[in-house]
Amino acid sequence: MKIRHSIATASVVATGFFAAAASAQDAATVAFLMPDQASTRYEEHDFPGFKAAMEELCPDCEIVYQNANADASLQQQQINSVIAQGAKIIVLDPVDSAAAAGLVQIAHSQDVKVIAYDRPIPDVPADYYVSFDNKGIGEAIAQSLVDHLKAEGVPEGAGVLQINGSPTDAAAGLIRDGIDVALDGSEYETLAEYDTPDWAPSKAQEWAAGQISRFGDEIIGIVAANDGTAGGAIAALKAAGADPLPPVTGNDATIAALQLIISGDQYNTISKPSEIVARAAAEVTATFLKGETPEAKTTLYDTPSELFVPAVVTRENIKSEIFDKGIQTPEEVCTGDYAEGCRELGILQ
């Protein structure tokens, strides 16, 4: 396997040579372009999952991986670069979903197909879109919180905060829409709402701190759109001396979030192993390389799509959803002070 590092573009290039795997297409260059490094998922899960699947489906393909580090201009440079390198397919998770329309047009002008990945591209249809059901994710985490508040006897009219993702991310907009469905149909009031620039946990923490000063004990829950923003909100609550903490939602099932759920500091997250979507993107890529048209399971933004439905994780089902399914291991999560909670939940004996 060939690996090439580039500091300027944060890129890795890998080629797989698994002769035993069946391949119906000749060697081709495929680009896998991810949006940022604020989340570790791209290097730890998405790219390894895509690369492993491509090694099986197209062992002679060259896979070019680059990460734009939340810089839309850099991502455009990367698009131009991989096209110049002869990429036939670009799997693109855009930094800016609106700006990505121009990237699709650039690729199509060079007869390069674009598979939108994780975040949709609303304004110009890509050739395919693979993701988890982002609107469903937003509705699921918020409805889980609403159901919990009702079960705990929290009275009607009590207030929650809503922390959304990046305003330039169309997937964040879909998550927000799903959250709105659950909260608008509930007995509870949204006290304030925030779109978090670049999904930055520090920005979410800063905003949450201001709202805690403003509303204090009126805050009976926080719907955060992912685990990073949830962590920021929890840090703000702890800094303000909140005890007990109101329930906080999340999404992504990061190790840090799983630990916070085990300790009781975070209420829920979403288990969505990125390898599932990465595998689907590889299968669509292989189909295109064969000159065939992949089947559309649904359509979103006039783009043939496949959307996966994830599971909500709380303390009640974290053992069965995360550990029994092998998504994470006790050795990775049940460290230090979290070991006691893992034993309480039956994760450790």
Side-chain angles (χ1 to χ4, degrees), residues 118-319:
D118 192 43
R119 302 175 182 181
I121 302 171
D123 296 335
V124 174
D127 297 280
Y128 207 89
Y129 174 51
V130 293
S131 180
F132 286 98
D133 182 350
N134 288 298
K135 184 175 180 181
I137 286 171
E139 185 170 358
I141 58 175
Q143 190 61 53
S144 171
L145 178 68
V146 167
D147 292 345
H148 173 69
L149 294 174
K150 290 168 64 177
E152 292 294 308
V154 176
E156 295 184 12
V160 300
L161 298 179
Q162 181 173 340
I163 305 178
N164 304 315
S166 171
T168 64
D169 177 358
L174 292 170
I175 294 171
R176 178 202 61 220
D177 292 346
I179 292 171
D180 288 344
V181 169
L183 292 185
D184 292 349
S186 77
E187 300 87 342
Y188 304 111
E189 175 189 354
T190 302
L191 297 172
E193 182 176 349
Y194 179 63
D195 294 336
T196 309
D198 299 325
W199 290 92
S202 60
K203 295 292 186 182
Q205 180 175 347
E206 180 182 353
W207 180 80
Q211 304 312 304
I212 293 165
S213 296
R214 179 183 176 189
F215 293 109
D217 292 341
E218 293 181 53
I219 302 168
I220 50 81
I222 299 177
V223 182
N226 79 341
D227 290 334
T229 54
I234 291 167
L237 288 165
K238 289 185 173 182
D243 186 22
L245 299 183
V248 180
T249 74
N251 161 35
D252 285 336
T254 64
I255 289 176
L258 297 175
Q259 291 173 331
L260 289 172
I261 289 172
I262 288 167
S263 68
D265 291 333
Q266 183 169 322
Y267 177 65
N268 72 21
T269 189
I270 288 283
S271 174
K272 49 175 193 179
S274 300
E275 292 86 352
I276 294 173
V277 178
R279 172 80 193 192
E283 290 175 349
V284 172
T285 297
T287 301
F288 277 136
L289 289 174
K290 294 175 189 175
E292 301 173 0
T293 301
E295 177 188 359
K297 308 298 173 61
T298 187
T299 300
L300 186 67
Y301 297 121
D302 297 324
T303 304
S305 306
E306 183 172 11
L307 305 178
F308 296 90
V309 179
V312 176
V313 176
T314 66
R315 285 188 103 236
E316 284 68 30
N317 68 350
I318 191 171
K319 180 179 182 295

Side-chain angles (χ1 to χ4, degrees), residues 18 50 56-57 166 191 258 272 304 348:
F18 284 75
F50 181 77
E56 173 190 336
L57 297 167
S166 171
L191 297 172
L258 297 175
K272 49 175 193 179
L348 289 176

Side-chain angles (χ1 to χ4, degrees), residues 79-80 83 90 101-114 124 127:
I79 287 276
N80 292 330
I83 291 174
I90 296 174
L103 305 184
V104 174
Q105 291 171 328
I106 290 171
H108 285 173
S109 72
Q110 302 296 316
D111 295 324
V112 176
K113 292 190 181 298
V114 176
V124 174
D127 297 280

